[in-house]
Amino acid sequence: MGVSWTREQQQVIDLRKRNILVSAAAGSGKTAVLVERIIKMITEGEHPVDIDRLLVVTFTNAAAAEMRERIGAAIEKALEEHPDSEHLQRQLTLIHNAQITTIDSFCLYVIRNHFHEIDLEPDFRIGDEGELKLLKEDVLRGVLESNYEQMSPEFAAFAKGYVSGKSDAKVAEMILSLYEFSMSYPWPMEWLTSGIRGYEIPDVQKMAEAPWMQPLVLHLRSVLADLVKKLRIAHVLTLEENGPDVYEKVIASDLAKFEELAACKNFLELYEKLTAVTYDRLPSSRGFSGDAGKL
Ligand SMILES: Nc1ncnc2c1ncn2[C@@H]1O[C@H](COP(=O)(O)OP(=O)(O)O)[C@@H](O)[C@H]1O
Ligand SMILES: [Mg+2]
């Protein structure tokens, strides 16, 4: 081809036997380079591959059509230079059945050809989004209802922990989002099971060390730091002229307790101090002689 590739383009064209991620602006020559790579693979060396041995996937049908056309044109051009090449002539025929396609059509192609291996009926079809949403909701309802009926101790504990009030809508939502999330992993069940492991905690010490505990402690500490700030402001207010001095002692005592809590570094310390905290009674403001607006 008459194109003179840039150094980066040439690098992409020549790299083999590894994964490559090419990220570049629109019109900068990504497709051109990809086409050139493919051409190289089906023309170079002693045993060039056949075009129908490659899988070329794009996001849109238009991009796939463009790709096929550009590869076809490149093969024709190569044929002009090597009119006797049987290999190139064969490529022109094979390109019609080559897997140059969208990711959706490729998946459909794989399933059409292997439906029996995954126990699928041969007349399966692709459901539309709305249909799938209804199906999922139906299945979810069914799963929840049969679990309510059987009410195993595990499910009872789960429902007690997560169903709030009369509606289990939040639980249903949670199950669905866990499902969607897990399905974005290549091995959803493995991911879910490994998630459960995070909750298999034999004692408080292990809980304090759990990976999910760290962000929780950080959050608690930031809430406590915020409370300390608010209590400090409240304390200053009690000392103002005509301020609610009746509250001064109680707020000073709360402030001291919260400063101690905010200084806790880990869950065990926090747990001990937080559960032991007691509050003094806020005294009555009867007989307060200062500015009532400041009470
Ligand atoms: N090194 C180059 N020299 C000349 N033209 C180039 C070069 N690289 C790409 N092009 C041309 O630039 C245009 C856009 O390239 P294309 O591969 O479609 O870009 P992208 O896929 O990144 O949007 C095409 O006409 C292509 O042939
Ligand atoms: Mg492109």
Side-chain angles (χ1 to χ4, degrees), residues 214-230 258 261-264 270:
Q214 314 317 319
L216 215 63
V217 167
L218 271 182
H219 174 68
L220 245 179
R221 291 190 51 175
S222 93
V223 170
L224 286 167
D226 200 40
L227 286 173
V228 166
K229 258 190 222 156
K230 285 185 174 142
F258 275 84
L261 281 170
C264 291
L270 272 168

Side-chain angles (χ1 to χ4, degrees), residues 91-155:
Q91 304 313 307
L92 268 193
T93 323
L94 290 178
I95 194 165
H96 301 293
N97 290 316
Q99 286 294 337
I100 303 168
T101 174
T102 62
I103 186 90
D104 295 44
S105 329
F106 175 67
C107 293
L108 193 55
Y109 167 85
V110 171
I111 296 174
R112 281 241 157 83
N113 285 281
H114 300 275
F115 62 88
H116 51 282
E117 288 166 51
I118 50 172
D119 281 335
L120 209 62
E121 297 296 321
D123 62 347
F124 75 91
R125 62 185 178 82
I126 305 289
D128 70 67
E129 288 289 327
E131 203 179 358
L132 292 177
K133 190 162 183 281
L134 287 178
L135 267 175
K136 269 184 218 159
E137 276 160 15
D138 268 2
V139 171
L140 183 60
R141 242 329 104 207
V143 168
L144 282 173
E145 262 157 33
S146 76
N147 273 285
Y148 283 131
E149 265 165 38
Q150 290 161 16
M151 206 40 112
S152 67
E154 289 84 2
F155 186 75

Side-chain angles (χ1 to χ4, degrees), residues 68-98:
R68 189 184 298 274
E69 202 181 292
R70 283 168 79 161
I71 295 172
I75 296 174
E76 276 172 20
K77 199 151 178 239
L79 251 178
E80 280 171 23
E81 287 161 28
H82 310 277
D84 301 329
S85 166
E86 279 176 29
H87 176 74
L88 282 175
Q89 279 162 15
R90 194 166 66 245
Q91 304 313 307
L92 268 193
T93 323
L94 290 178
I95 194 165
H96 301 293
N97 290 316

